[in-house]
Amino acid sequence: MAELRVNPTRMEMKRIQTRYQTARKGHKLLKDKRDELMKQFLDVVREDKLLRERVEAALTNVYRSFTVAGAVSSPKMLEEALICPKKEGQLAVEYKNMMSVTVPVFQMRVQASGGSDSYNYGLAFTSGELDASLRELSDVMEDLLRMAELEKTAQLLAEEIERTRRRVNALEYILMPQYLETIKSIKMKLDENERGNTTRLMKVKDMMIKAQLQQKHTEDEE
């Protein structure tokens, strides 16, 4: 692992040690966030799986009912019955925060013209199968919206999990080892400098002692 290019001083080592401690705390916080995001993601996926199974079964019944309605009624009659809807739907989108991820909340508001809750057509010339199929389709709309909300939430959570995972890996395998290697290198250079200073001091001391001995020897001879 390549170390950082810094001056090998005690002040620089202290600064790198502080940054390393900050990176350790950030690494722990990010790991906790990643684990909680994974928990939330799995809860959303499990709910979405159960809801999808229910929606697929309900849509199968809707398709079956429409098939029966098409068999007992002419295509022209079905087209005329469904061409002019009497209801208007509005999709309201709100947002909530889930572990620092902004996820959508969908809500459908249906308004019938004239304040009635009737079908789009008159009941005199249509079959009961068509009534049943539209009623079943209306019943499954709420689950469809909830499923869309869950799947969008799962997508956003997955993206945030991936971003958090990359940050955790960058701290764990790149930045923190660089700091440790740099601290180790600075410490080795400081120790080497200290040993060099000690060696020089010992040599100076030996030279001074030798000079004093020579001076004393000279004085004795005189």
Side-chain angles (χ1 to χ4, degrees):
M1 177 61 65
E3 63 185 64
L4 300 176
R5 294 184 178 180
V6 295
N7 295 325
T9 61
R10 296 189 182 278
M11 182 177 297
E12 196 67 33
M13 185 173 70
K14 182 66 175 176
R15 186 177 69 85
I16 298 298
Q17 287 174 339
T18 301
R19 292 174 65 179
Y20 173 72
Q21 294 299 327
T22 303
R24 281 188 61 186
K25 294 178 182 178
H27 177 261
K28 182 180 183 305
L29 290 175
L30 285 173
K31 282 188 68 175
D32 293 343
K33 178 184 177 181
R34 183 195 60 187
D35 295 341
E36 183 61 27
L37 282 170
M38 283 297 302
K39 180 178 178 298
Q40 297 284 346
F41 176 78
L42 292 176
D43 291 341
V44 170
V45 169
R46 279 192 289 265
E47 183 181 354
D48 179 66
K49 181 177 181 295
L50 296 175
L51 190 57
R52 175 173 285 276
E53 293 174 354
R54 187 166 74 239
V55 166
E56 288 180 351
L59 288 178
T60 300
N61 294 332
V62 171
Y63 295 149
R64 186 183 298 115
S65 299
F66 269 111
T67 301
V68 174
V72 300
S73 304
S74 65
K76 183 176 181 181
M77 187 276 294
L78 290 177
E79 182 179 356
E80 291 177 352
L82 301 175
I83 196 171
C84 295
K86 294 183 180 179
K87 295 181 181 179
E88 179 181 348
Q90 294 181 347
L91 179 62
V93 183
E94 298 178 353
Y95 297 93
K96 67 178 181 180
N97 187 285
M98 180 181 292
M99 292 295 298
S100 75
V101 181
T102 302
V103 299
V105 178
F106 299 146
Q107 185 177 2
M108 176 67 78
R109 300 187 181 96
V110 179
Q111 296 178 348
S113 60
S116 63
D117 195 24
S118 60
Y119 294 101
N120 299 338
Y121 48 80
L123 302 179
F125 302 102
T126 55
S127 63
E129 288 78 6
L130 181 60
D131 301 343
S133 60
L134 289 177
R135 184 168 56 251
E136 291 173 358
L137 181 59
S138 178
D139 292 340
V140 81
M141 283 300 297
E142 184 175 350
D143 287 342
L144 279 171
L145 284 176
R146 176 61 178 166
M147 190 172 71
E149 177 185 317
L150 289 173
E151 293 191 354
K152 185 61 178 178
T153 299
Q155 176 190 346
L156 294 173
L157 288 176
E159 293 173 356
E160 184 65 22
I161 289 171
E162 180 61 22
R163 283 193 293 268
T164 305
R165 185 189 65 82
R166 287 198 298 265
R167 291 168 183 164
V168 169
N169 289 343
L171 286 171
E172 184 172 351
Y173 298 110
I174 298 177
L175 198 58
M176 291 169 62
Q178 279 185 342
Y179 287 156
L180 288 175
E181 191 69 22
T182 303
I183 292 170
K184 180 180 178 182
S185 176
I186 293 176
K187 188 174 181 181
M188 289 177 61
K189 290 178 181 178
L190 290 175
D191 291 343
E192 182 180 351
N193 291 338
E194 186 174 352
R195 287 193 298 269
N197 291 334
T198 302
T199 302
R200 284 192 294 271
L201 289 174
M202 291 178 65
K203 288 183 177 179
V204 170
K205 182 178 179 181
D206 291 342
M207 291 173 62
M208 292 177 64
I209 293 175
K210 185 176 181 181
Q212 289 176 356
L213 291 175
Q214 288 179 350
Q215 183 179 3
K216 184 177 181 182
H217 181 71
T218 302
E219 292 177 352
D220 292 341
E221 288 179 350
E222 290 177 354

